[in-house]
Amino acid sequence: MATIAEREAAVFLHLANRQPVTLVRGQGCRVWDDQGNSYLDFVAGIAALSLGHCHPKVTEAIKTQAEQLVHVSNFFYTKPQIELAELLVQQTGLQKVFFCNSGAEAVEGSLKLARKWGREKKNGAHEIITMDGAFHGRTMGALAVTSNPRYREPFQPLVPGIMSAPYNNIEALRAAMTDRTCAIILEPIQGEGGVNIPDPEYLPAVRKLCDEANVVLIIDEVQTGAGRTGNLFAYQHYPNLKPDILALAKGLGSGVPVGAFVAAEKVAIFEPGDHGSTFGGQPLTTAAALAVMRTLVAENIPAQAAKRGEYLTSKLRSLEDRHPSITSVRGQGLLLAIEFGSETAAQVMNATRERGLLINNLRPNLLRIAPPLIISEAEIDEAVRILDEAIGAVERSQEASSKGAPPAR
Ligand SMILES: *Cc1c(COP(=O)(O)O)cnc(C)c1O
Protein backbone atom coordinates (compact mmCIF):
# COMPACT_ATOMS: atom_id res chain seq x y z
CA MET A 1 0.00 0.00 0.00
CA ALA A 2 1.26 3.47 -0.84
CA THR A 3 2.42 5.66 2.04
CA ILE A 4 0.85 9.06 2.55
CA ALA A 5 4.11 10.61 1.29
CA GLU A 6 3.83 8.61 -1.96
CA ARG A 7 0.17 9.51 -2.37
CA GLU A 8 1.00 13.18 -1.77
CA ALA A 9 3.83 13.10 -4.29
CA ALA A 10 1.47 11.62 -6.89
CA VAL A 11 -1.14 14.35 -6.70
CA PHE A 12 0.40 17.48 -5.19
CA LEU A 13 2.49 20.15 -6.85
CA HIS A 14 5.76 19.77 -5.02
CA LEU A 15 6.01 23.07 -3.14
CA ALA A 16 6.27 22.24 0.54
CA ASN A 17 9.10 20.22 2.02
CA ARG A 18 6.99 18.51 4.61
CA GLN A 19 8.21 17.05 7.85
CA PRO A 20 7.49 13.30 7.84
CA VAL A 21 4.57 13.22 10.24
CA THR A 22 0.84 13.05 9.62
CA LEU A 23 -0.96 15.16 12.19
CA VAL A 24 -4.47 14.20 13.15
CA ARG A 25 -5.38 16.13 16.28
CA GLY A 26 -4.43 19.24 18.23
CA GLN A 27 -5.25 20.70 21.62
CA GLY A 28 -3.72 23.83 23.11
CA CYS A 29 0.02 23.82 22.34
CA ARG A 30 0.15 20.13 21.46
CA VAL A 31 -0.56 18.01 18.36
CA TRP A 32 -0.76 14.26 17.82
CA ASP A 33 0.25 12.20 14.79
CA ASP A 34 -1.48 9.16 13.36
CA GLN A 35 0.87 6.89 15.31
CA GLY A 36 -0.29 8.36 18.61
CA ASN A 37 2.91 10.39 19.22
CA SER A 38 2.44 13.82 20.73
CA TYR A 39 4.44 16.95 20.01
CA LEU A 40 4.71 20.42 21.42
CA ASP A 41 3.81 22.69 18.52
CA PHE A 42 6.22 25.62 18.20
CA VAL A 43 5.36 26.08 14.52
CA ALA A 44 1.77 26.96 15.42
CA GLY A 45 0.62 26.86 11.81
CA ILE A 46 3.30 29.43 10.85
CA ALA A 47 2.69 31.75 13.79
CA ALA A 48 -1.04 31.61 13.03
CA LEU A 49 -2.42 29.71 16.02
CA SER A 50 -2.52 32.63 18.43
CA LEU A 51 -4.79 30.78 20.86
CA GLY A 52 -3.40 27.34 20.06
CA HIS A 53 -5.28 24.38 18.70
CA CYS A 54 -9.02 24.04 19.20
CA HIS A 55 -9.34 26.77 21.81
CA PRO A 56 -12.75 26.19 23.45
CA LYS A 57 -13.99 29.74 22.72
CA VAL A 58 -13.00 29.53 19.06
CA THR A 59 -14.32 26.00 18.60
CA GLU A 60 -17.61 27.03 20.18
CA ALA A 61 -17.90 30.07 17.90
CA ILE A 62 -17.19 27.96 14.80
CA LYS A 63 -19.71 25.29 15.82
CA THR A 64 -22.47 27.74 16.66
CA GLN A 65 -21.96 29.77 13.50
CA ALA A 66 -21.69 26.65 11.31
CA GLU A 67 -25.15 25.65 12.47
CA GLN A 68 -26.61 29.09 11.72
CA LEU A 69 -25.13 30.67 8.62
CA VAL A 70 -21.80 30.04 6.91
CA HIS A 71 -21.80 32.30 3.88
CA VAL A 72 -24.02 34.73 2.02
CA SER A 73 -21.63 37.26 0.33
CA ASN A 74 -21.24 40.95 0.98
CA PHE A 75 -24.44 41.76 -0.90
CA PHE A 76 -26.05 41.38 2.53
CA TYR A 77 -25.46 42.51 6.09
CA THR A 78 -24.21 39.89 8.54
CA LYS A 79 -23.49 40.46 12.22
CA PRO A 80 -20.16 38.76 13.02
CA GLN A 81 -18.25 40.84 10.45
CA ILE A 82 -19.68 44.10 11.79
CA GLU A 83 -18.81 43.16 15.38
CA LEU A 84 -15.31 42.11 14.37
CA ALA A 85 -14.82 45.31 12.38
CA GLU A 86 -16.02 47.40 15.34
CA LEU A 87 -13.56 45.61 17.61
CA LEU A 88 -10.69 46.11 15.15
CA VAL A 89 -11.50 49.81 14.81
CA GLN A 90 -11.65 50.16 18.57
CA GLN A 91 -8.35 48.34 19.12
CA THR A 92 -6.33 49.82 16.25
CA GLY A 93 -7.43 53.46 16.42
CA LEU A 94 -7.98 53.26 12.64
CA GLN A 95 -11.36 53.68 10.99
CA LYS A 96 -12.31 51.44 8.07
CA VAL A 97 -12.04 47.65 7.66
CA PHE A 98 -12.00 45.25 4.72
CA PHE A 99 -12.03 41.48 5.23
CA CYS A 100 -10.35 38.87 3.07
CA ASN A 101 -9.05 35.33 3.49
CA SER A 102 -5.27 35.49 3.71
CA GLY A 103 -2.26 37.66 4.34
CA ALA A 104 -1.43 38.06 0.67
CA GLU A 105 -4.93 39.37 0.01
CA ALA A 106 -4.68 41.79 2.92
CA VAL A 107 -1.48 43.12 1.31
CA GLU A 108 -3.01 43.21 -2.19
CA GLY A 109 -5.94 45.27 -0.94
CA SER A 110 -3.63 47.60 0.99
CA LEU A 111 -1.51 48.21 -2.12
CA LYS A 112 -4.58 48.85 -4.26
CA LEU A 113 -5.95 51.33 -1.73
CA ALA A 114 -2.61 53.16 -1.60
CA ARG A 115 -2.40 53.28 -5.39
CA LYS A 116 -5.89 54.72 -5.68
CA TRP A 117 -5.08 57.23 -2.96
CA GLY A 118 -1.96 58.33 -4.85
CA ARG A 119 -3.87 58.67 -8.09
CA GLU A 120 -6.64 60.77 -6.58
CA LYS A 121 -4.96 62.62 -3.73
CA LYS A 122 -1.31 62.93 -4.70
CA ASN A 123 -1.19 63.88 -8.30
CA GLY A 124 -1.00 60.37 -9.70
CA ALA A 125 1.80 59.18 -7.39
CA HIS A 126 1.99 55.42 -7.76
CA GLU A 127 5.40 54.21 -6.62
CA ILE A 128 5.51 51.93 -3.62
CA ILE A 129 8.68 51.41 -1.61
CA THR A 130 9.30 48.05 0.01
CA MET A 131 12.21 46.79 2.12
CA ASP A 132 15.05 44.42 1.42
CA GLY A 133 14.29 41.21 3.32
CA ALA A 134 10.53 41.84 3.21
CA PHE A 135 7.93 39.12 2.87
CA HIS A 136 4.38 40.14 2.00
CA GLY A 137 2.92 37.08 0.26
CA ARG A 138 2.81 35.10 -2.98
CA THR A 139 0.19 36.72 -5.20
CA MET A 140 1.48 38.97 -7.98
CA GLY A 141 1.10 42.28 -6.14
CA ALA A 142 2.27 40.96 -2.79
CA LEU A 143 5.14 39.18 -4.55
CA ALA A 144 6.19 42.44 -6.19
CA VAL A 145 6.83 43.89 -2.72
CA THR A 146 8.51 40.69 -1.46
CA SER A 147 12.27 40.76 -1.69
CA ASN A 148 13.47 37.15 -1.93
CA PRO A 149 14.69 36.60 -5.54
CA ARG A 150 13.99 32.88 -5.18
CA TYR A 151 10.28 33.70 -4.82
CA ARG A 152 10.21 36.49 -7.41
CA GLU A 153 12.35 35.56 -10.36
CA PRO A 154 10.32 32.69 -11.86
CA PHE A 155 7.32 35.01 -12.19
CA GLN A 156 8.71 38.19 -13.66
CA PRO A 157 7.60 40.61 -14.91
CA LEU A 158 5.88 41.55 -11.66
CA VAL A 159 3.76 44.60 -10.89
CA PRO A 160 5.69 47.72 -11.96
CA GLY A 161 6.31 50.83 -9.89
CA ILE A 162 7.89 49.06 -6.92
CA MET A 163 11.17 50.38 -5.46
CA SER A 164 13.13 48.87 -2.62
CA ALA A 165 15.30 50.19 0.18
CA PRO A 166 17.40 48.54 2.87
CA TYR A 167 15.44 47.77 6.06
CA ASN A 168 16.29 49.69 9.21
CA ASN A 169 18.03 52.47 7.26
CA ILE A 170 16.14 55.74 7.35
CA GLU A 171 18.57 57.67 5.15
CA ALA A 172 18.36 55.07 2.40
CA LEU A 173 14.58 55.19 2.61
CA ARG A 174 14.59 58.97 2.36
CA ALA A 175 16.83 58.70 -0.70
CA ALA A 176 14.48 56.19 -2.34
CA MET A 177 11.46 58.48 -2.03
CA THR A 178 10.34 60.69 -4.91
CA ASP A 179 7.32 62.85 -5.75
CA ARG A 180 5.84 59.73 -7.28
CA THR A 181 5.95 57.72 -4.04
CA CYS A 182 2.45 56.95 -2.81
CA ALA A 183 3.26 54.37 -0.13
CA ILE A 184 5.85 52.60 1.96
CA ILE A 185 5.13 49.06 3.06
CA LEU A 186 7.02 47.36 5.86
CA GLU A 187 6.84 44.81 8.64
CA PRO A 188 7.52 46.09 12.18
CA ILE A 189 9.66 42.96 12.61
CA GLN A 190 10.57 41.05 9.45
CA GLY A 191 9.17 37.59 10.08
CA GLU A 192 9.94 35.38 7.09
CA GLY A 193 13.02 37.48 6.36
CA GLY A 194 14.66 36.08 9.50
CA VAL A 195 13.01 37.71 12.55
CA ASN A 196 14.85 40.98 11.91
CA ILE A 197 14.19 43.64 14.52
CA PRO A 198 14.79 47.28 13.60
CA ASP A 199 16.37 49.84 15.91
CA PRO A 200 13.86 51.49 18.26
CA GLU A 201 14.14 54.84 16.42
CA TYR A 202 13.47 53.37 12.99
CA LEU A 203 9.69 53.01 12.84
CA PRO A 204 8.99 56.44 14.38
CA ALA A 205 11.42 57.93 11.84
CA VAL A 206 9.60 56.17 8.99
CA ARG A 207 6.29 57.50 10.29
CA LYS A 208 7.72 61.03 10.41
CA LEU A 209 9.12 60.71 6.91
CA CYS A 210 5.73 59.55 5.60
CA ASP A 211 3.98 62.47 7.30
CA GLU A 212 6.44 65.01 5.88
CA ALA A 213 6.31 63.62 2.35
CA ASN A 214 2.57 62.86 2.35
CA VAL A 215 3.12 59.14 1.81
CA VAL A 216 0.85 56.32 3.00
CA LEU A 217 2.44 54.04 5.58
CA ILE A 218 1.31 50.43 5.22
CA ILE A 219 2.33 48.29 8.17
CA ASP A 220 2.11 44.58 7.44
CA GLU A 221 1.29 42.88 10.72
CA VAL A 222 0.13 39.63 9.16
CA GLN A 223 2.72 37.84 11.31
CA THR A 224 3.36 40.30 14.17
CA GLY A 225 -0.30 41.19 14.83
CA ALA A 226 -2.86 39.59 17.14
CA GLY A 227 -0.61 39.63 20.20
CA ARG A 228 2.43 37.83 18.80
CA THR A 229 5.04 40.39 19.87
CA GLY A 230 3.55 41.17 23.29
CA ASN A 231 1.17 43.95 22.27
CA LEU A 232 -2.04 43.41 20.34
CA PHE A 233 -0.24 45.02 17.38
CA ALA A 234 3.50 45.54 17.17
CA TYR A 235 3.16 49.21 16.19
CA GLN A 236 1.62 49.74 19.62
CA HIS A 237 5.07 49.27 21.14
CA TYR A 238 5.68 52.83 19.85
CA PRO A 239 3.80 55.63 21.59
CA ASN A 240 1.56 57.68 19.28
CA LEU A 241 2.52 55.72 16.19
CA LYS A 242 -0.17 54.43 13.85
CA PRO A 243 -0.08 53.10 10.32
CA ASP A 244 -2.33 54.53 7.62
CA ILE A 245 -3.13 51.00 6.54
CA LEU A 246 -2.68 47.90 8.68
CA ALA A 247 -2.61 44.41 7.09
CA LEU A 248 -3.64 41.43 9.22
CA ALA A 249 -4.14 37.69 8.87
CA LYS A 250 -2.31 34.69 10.47
CA GLY A 251 -3.09 35.06 14.22
CA LEU A 252 -6.34 36.96 13.63
CA GLY A 253 -8.30 33.73 13.21
CA SER A 254 -6.09 31.44 15.32
CA GLY A 255 -5.94 29.07 12.36
CA VAL A 256 -9.17 29.98 10.59
CA PRO A 257 -8.38 31.63 7.24
CA VAL A 258 -9.27 35.27 7.72
CA GLY A 259 -7.39 38.39 6.77
CA ALA A 260 -8.14 42.08 6.93
CA PHE A 261 -6.82 45.49 6.29
CA VAL A 262 -7.76 48.45 8.41
CA ALA A 263 -7.35 51.97 7.03
CA ALA A 264 -7.27 55.47 8.44
CA GLU A 265 -10.20 57.61 7.38
CA LYS A 266 -8.06 59.91 5.21
CA VAL A 267 -6.90 57.09 2.93
CA ALA A 268 -10.11 55.04 2.99
CA ILE A 269 -11.25 56.22 -0.41
CA PHE A 270 -12.45 52.97 -1.97
CA GLU A 271 -15.85 53.14 -3.63
CA PRO A 272 -18.22 50.36 -4.66
CA GLY A 273 -16.56 48.22 -7.32
CA ASP A 274 -12.97 49.13 -6.44
CA HIS A 275 -12.30 45.93 -4.54
CA GLY A 276 -14.08 42.89 -3.18
CA SER A 277 -13.99 39.26 -2.12
CA THR A 278 -16.55 36.49 -2.40
CA PHE A 279 -15.67 34.83 0.88
CA GLY A 280 -14.04 37.76 2.68
CA GLY A 281 -15.93 38.72 5.82
CA GLN A 282 -18.26 35.74 5.72
CA PRO A 283 -20.04 34.83 8.97
CA LEU A 284 -18.11 31.61 9.66
CA THR A 285 -14.58 33.00 9.56
CA THR A 286 -15.43 36.35 11.12
CA ALA A 287 -17.32 34.67 13.98
CA ALA A 288 -14.17 32.66 14.66
CA ALA A 289 -11.93 35.74 14.44
CA LEU A 290 -14.33 37.67 16.69
CA ALA A 291 -13.97 34.95 19.33
CA VAL A 292 -10.17 35.11 18.91
CA MET A 293 -9.96 38.90 19.18
CA ARG A 294 -12.37 39.07 22.10
CA THR A 295 -10.38 36.43 23.96
CA LEU A 296 -7.04 38.13 23.22
CA VAL A 297 -8.40 41.40 24.59
CA ALA A 298 -10.51 40.11 27.51
CA GLU A 299 -7.80 37.79 28.84
CA ASN A 300 -4.97 40.20 28.12
CA ILE A 301 -3.16 37.49 26.17
CA PRO A 302 -0.66 39.92 24.54
CA ALA A 303 0.71 40.87 27.97
CA GLN A 304 0.96 37.18 28.82
CA ALA A 305 2.80 36.61 25.54
CA ALA A 306 5.24 39.36 26.49
CA LYS A 307 5.92 37.69 29.83
CA ARG A 308 6.26 34.19 28.42
CA GLY A 309 8.40 35.61 25.62
CA GLU A 310 10.83 37.03 28.17
CA TYR A 311 10.91 33.74 30.01
CA LEU A 312 11.51 31.77 26.81
CA THR A 313 14.15 34.24 25.60
CA SER A 314 16.09 33.97 28.85
CA LYS A 315 16.03 30.17 28.56
CA LEU A 316 17.17 30.34 24.94
CA ARG A 317 19.99 32.69 25.94
CA SER A 318 21.19 30.12 28.44
CA LEU A 319 21.21 27.58 25.58
CA GLU A 320 23.24 30.09 23.59
CA ASP A 321 25.78 30.20 26.45
CA ARG A 322 26.05 26.42 26.53
CA HIS A 323 26.03 25.65 22.79
CA PRO A 324 28.81 27.08 20.63
CA SER A 325 26.83 26.37 17.44
CA ILE A 326 24.28 29.08 18.37
CA THR A 327 25.37 32.51 17.17
CA SER A 328 22.27 34.55 18.00
CA VAL A 329 18.94 34.43 19.82
CA ARG A 330 16.57 37.23 18.90
CA GLY A 331 12.95 38.25 18.73
CA GLN A 332 10.19 39.99 20.60
CA GLY A 333 7.30 38.53 22.53
CA LEU A 334 6.75 35.05 21.15
CA LEU A 335 8.26 35.67 17.71
CA LEU A 336 11.78 34.38 18.23
CA ALA A 337 14.64 32.89 16.27
CA ILE A 338 17.77 30.88 16.96
CA GLU A 339 20.61 31.39 14.52
CA PHE A 340 23.43 28.91 14.05
CA GLY A 341 26.95 29.46 12.80
CA SER A 342 26.47 26.81 10.10
CA GLU A 343 23.61 25.30 8.14
CA THR A 344 22.39 22.93 10.82
CA ALA A 345 18.85 24.21 11.36
CA ALA A 346 17.20 21.33 9.47
CA GLN A 347 19.17 18.78 11.48
CA VAL A 348 18.16 20.43 14.73
CA MET A 349 14.53 20.58 13.54
CA ASN A 350 14.58 16.84 12.81
CA ALA A 351 16.25 16.09 16.14
CA THR A 352 13.66 18.08 18.11
CA ARG A 353 10.81 16.41 16.22
CA GLU A 354 12.17 12.99 17.14
CA ARG A 355 12.07 14.17 20.75
CA GLY A 356 8.54 15.63 20.60
CA LEU A 357 8.92 19.29 19.57
CA LEU A 358 7.86 20.77 16.23
CA ILE A 359 9.76 23.82 14.99
CA ASN A 360 10.59 25.10 11.52
CA ASN A 361 13.75 26.18 9.80
CA LEU A 362 13.23 29.60 8.32
CA ARG A 363 16.62 29.43 6.67
CA PRO A 364 19.39 26.81 6.53
CA ASN A 365 20.95 28.41 9.61
CA LEU A 366 17.84 29.76 11.35
CA LEU A 367 14.99 28.31 13.39
CA ARG A 368 11.81 30.25 14.07
CA ILE A 369 10.28 29.77 17.50
CA ALA A 370 6.64 30.88 17.50
CA PRO A 371 4.49 28.87 19.90
CA PRO A 372 0.83 29.65 20.58
CA LEU A 373 0.50 32.71 22.82
CA ILE A 374 -1.16 30.59 25.52
CA ILE A 375 2.03 28.59 26.09
CA SER A 376 2.73 27.81 29.77
CA GLU A 377 6.08 28.02 31.57
CA ALA A 378 6.04 24.24 32.04
CA GLU A 379 5.61 23.77 28.27
CA ILE A 380 8.43 26.24 27.63
CA ASP A 381 10.66 24.27 30.03
CA GLU A 382 9.82 21.06 28.20
CA ALA A 383 10.56 22.60 24.78
CA VAL A 384 13.86 24.12 25.93
CA ARG A 385 14.97 20.79 27.41
CA ILE A 386 14.26 19.14 24.02
CA LEU A 387 16.08 21.91 22.15
CA ASP A 388 19.05 21.56 24.49
CA GLU A 389 19.29 17.80 23.85
CA ALA A 390 18.73 18.14 20.12
CA ILE A 391 21.28 20.91 19.62
CA GLY A 392 23.78 18.93 21.73
CA ALA A 393 23.21 15.82 19.61
CA VAL A 394 23.68 17.75 16.36
CA GLU A 395 26.84 19.42 17.69
CA ARG A 396 28.28 16.02 18.66
CA SER A 397 27.52 14.55 15.26
CA GLN A 398 29.06 17.60 13.51
CA GLU A 399 32.15 17.21 15.62
CA ALA A 400 32.39 13.49 14.90
CA SER A 401 32.01 14.02 11.16
CA SER A 402 34.57 16.83 11.09
CA LYS A 403 37.07 14.59 12.87
CA GLY A 404 36.32 11.76 10.48
CA ALA A 405 36.50 13.99 7.41
CA PRO A 406 39.56 13.93 5.16
CA PRO A 407 41.97 16.78 5.85
CA ALA A 408 41.27 19.97 3.91
CA ARG A 409 43.41 20.37 0.82
C1 LIG B 1 2.66 35.10 6.02
C2 LIG B 1 2.77 36.53 5.65
C3 LIG B 1 2.07 37.07 4.55
C4 LIG B 1 1.26 36.21 3.61
O1 LIG B 1 0.20 35.61 4.25
P1 LIG B 1 -0.57 34.39 3.52
O2 LIG B 1 -1.74 34.15 4.41
O3 LIG B 1 0.37 33.25 3.45
O4 LIG B 1 -0.97 34.86 2.18
C5 LIG B 1 2.15 38.42 4.31
N1 LIG B 1 2.89 39.22 5.11
C6 LIG B 1 3.57 38.75 6.18
C7 LIG B 1 4.35 39.69 7.04
C8 LIG B 1 3.55 37.38 6.47
O5 LIG B 1 4.25 36.91 7.49
Side-chain angles (χ1 to χ4, degrees), residues 60-393:
E60 180 59 36
I62 294 170
K63 276 184 172 168
T64 306
Q65 193 60 48
E67 286 173 348
Q68 278 176 16
L69 186 69
V70 168
H71 178 73
V72 290
S73 87
N74 291 306
F75 291 136
F76 306 96
Y77 295 103
T78 52
K79 284 182 184 157
Q81 65 166 226
I82 308 299
E83 289 176 20
L84 178 60
E86 286 170 347
L87 187 55
L88 286 174
V89 164
Q90 181 195 43
Q91 294 295 327
T92 58
L94 301 170
Q95 284 80 40
K96 292 285 157 69
V97 181
F98 175 83
F99 289 118
C100 52
N101 315 285
S102 67
E105 284 171 85
V107 168
E108 290 287 334
S110 302
L111 298 176
K112 282 177 69 178
L113 184 57
R115 277 262 166 102
K116 187 173 186 203
W117 178 87
R119 170 182 287 263
E120 292 199 352
K121 307 286 182 184
K122 200 186 168 186
N123 207 15
H126 68 277
E127 288 176 4
I128 295 169
I129 302 177
T130 183
M131 302 297 152
D132 296 346
F135 182 87
H136 296 293
R138 308 289 199 150
T139 53
M140 282 292 185
L143 192 56
V145 290
T146 287
S147 95
N148 190 334
R150 168 68 192 83
Y151 300 160
R152 298 167 57 89
E153 274 166 11
F155 309 105
Q156 281 166 347
L158 299 171
V159 174
I162 309 293
M163 315 290 144
S164 69
Y167 191 57
N168 197 28
N169 182 334
I170 196 74
E171 287 316 315
L173 180 59
R174 194 192 307 276
M177 285 167 70
T178 73
D179 291 346
R180 297 178 303 277
T181 306
C182 70
I184 289 169
I185 181 166
L186 53 67
E187 300 152 87
I189 294 175
Q190 290 187 331
E192 300 301 304
V195 188
N196 305 322
I197 302 179
D199 298 333
E201 318 76 62
Y202 179 64
L203 227 59
V206 174
R207 176 68 271 181
K208 189 156 168 276
L209 203 55
C210 287
D211 289 340
E212 287 164 3
N214 192 26
V215 163
V216 170
L217 176 58
I218 304 171
I219 299 190
D220 179 349
E221 294 226 29
V222 168
Q223 187 153 160
T224 53
R228 175 65 46 195
T229 69
N231 253 325
L232 193 55
F233 305 107
Y235 72 82
Q236 294 172 338
H237 290 292
Y238 303 90
N240 305 321
L241 189 149
K242 269 189 253 170
D244 299 307
I245 306 177
L246 172 69
L248 298 172
K250 290 201 170 95
L252 182 60
S254 195
V256 171
V258 55
F261 67 83
V262 192
E265 192 77 61
K266 71 157 190 163
V267 301
I269 59 162
F270 272 167
E271 297 163 301
D274 279 339
H275 196 53
S277 168
T278 298
F279 291 131
Q282 63 157 229
L284 185 68
T285 52
T286 50
L290 181 60
V292 172
M293 287 299 295
R294 279 183 175 160
T295 305
L296 289 174
V297 172
E299 298 182 14
N300 209 357
I301 305 278
Q304 183 183 318
K307 225 173 93 203
R308 296 287 146 73
E310 277 172 31
Y311 182 73
L312 176 52
T313 303
S314 74
K315 296 256 153 174
L316 295 179
R317 293 221 191 283
S318 71
L319 289 188
E320 186 181 11
D321 293 341
R322 271 206 306 291
H323 292 287
S325 65
I326 301 179
T327 54
S328 149
V329 167
R330 58 176 179 266
Q332 188 171 20
L334 286 169
L335 181 57
L336 302 169
I338 303 177
E339 190 169 315
F340 297 94
S342 59
E343 302 197 340
T344 54
Q347 272 171 279
V348 174
M349 173 185 88
N350 290 331
T352 66
R353 185 183 60 252
E354 284 158 11
R355 292 165 171 80
L357 170 68
L358 302 182
I359 42 180
N360 82 311
N361 59 336
L362 208 48
R363 285 208 233 117
N365 67 339
L366 195 79
L367 294 174
R368 172 171 39 201
I369 310 282
L373 309 182
I374 55 164
I375 189 90
S376 69
E377 289 196 357
E379 286 165 329
I380 289 175
D381 292 343
E382 183 184 339
V384 170
R385 182 182 50 71
I386 295 174
L387 271 166
D388 192 10
E389 281 177 26
I391 295 168

